């Protein structure tokens, strides 16, 4: 439960970075899907550092952790972007509101995959 709360805290900051970046870029005239990708990437930079060091306390310096983290976030970005597209183009939601909904929906996928795959070995070692 403690790890989930930490993940949530990091997630709030990632969401603020992602959402603020998206909103600024969108209102500057960038296509909402392009703004989503850029904003998400900015949030991922923050997320990797804090999830690795604080949430999952993983001190391994292997590139495989970084690659797994990126893979999880590319998948999450794909799901989020598809969800955003559907909310805007099929349900007619305004892109900024749709982005908030899409971010919220993608958080669960991201947490589960990072906890069960990206940082799994470190969790297993700490349990012993």
């Amino acid at each position: 439960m403690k790890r989930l709360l930490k993940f949530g805290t990091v997630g709030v900051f990632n969401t603020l970075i992602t959402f603020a970046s998206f909103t600024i870029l969108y209102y500057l005239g960038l296509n909402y899907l392009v703004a989503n990708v850029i904003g998400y990437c900015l949030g991922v930079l923050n997320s990797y550092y804090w999830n690795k060091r604080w949430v999952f306390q993983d001190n391994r310096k292997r590139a495989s952790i970084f690659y797994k983290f990126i893979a999880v976030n590319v998948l999450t970005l794909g799901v989020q972007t598809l969800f955003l597209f559907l909310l805007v183009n099929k349900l007619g939601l305004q892109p900024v509101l749709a982005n908030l909904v899409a971010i919220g929906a993608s958080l669960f996928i991201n947490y589960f995959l990072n906890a069960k795959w990206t940082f799994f070995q470190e969790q297993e070692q700490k349990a012993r």
Side-chain angles (χ1 to χ4, degrees):
M1 185 63 162
K2 183 178 177 183
R3 184 178 297 128
L4 184 58
L5 291 174
K6 285 182 173 183
F7 183 82
T9 301
V10 171
V12 166
F13 287 106
N14 297 337
T15 301
L16 290 174
I17 290 167
T18 300
F19 184 70
S21 302
F22 168 85
T23 303
I24 291 167
L25 293 169
Y26 175 72
Y27 282 117
L28 287 175
L30 206 59
N31 174 278
Y32 74 97
L33 295 174
V34 175
N36 181 60
V37 171
I38 293 169
Y40 190 89
C41 289
L42 293 173
V44 165
L45 294 174
N46 182 67
S47 178
Y48 179 72
Y49 178 82
W50 289 108
N51 277 306
K52 185 175 186 326
R53 299 289 179 187
W54 186 54
V55 176
F56 297 103
Q57 298 175 356
D58 193 326
N59 295 316
R60 296 175 290 167
K61 298 193 187 299
R62 295 193 323 229
S64 65
I65 296 167
F66 178 73
Y67 296 134
K68 286 179 178 180
F69 187 82
I70 294 301
V72 165
N73 279 283
V74 166
L75 176 67
T76 304
L77 173 60
V79 169
Q80 179 188 349
T81 303
L82 176 62
F83 200 53
L84 176 61
F85 176 81
L86 294 172
L87 290 169
V88 171
N89 291 309
K90 301 298 180 193
L91 296 180
L93 287 179
Q94 195 274 341
V96 174
L97 175 60
N99 187 257
L100 273 178
V101 174
I103 288 170
S106 67
L107 288 175
F108 298 103
I109 295 166
N110 193 281
Y111 175 78
F112 179 78
L113 291 175
N114 275 311
K116 299 298 181 189
W117 185 53
T118 307
F119 299 108
F120 185 71
Q121 284 185 340
E122 184 65 21
Q123 294 170 17
E124 200 173 70
Q125 290 172 0
K126 286 183 177 187
R128 293 181 191 172

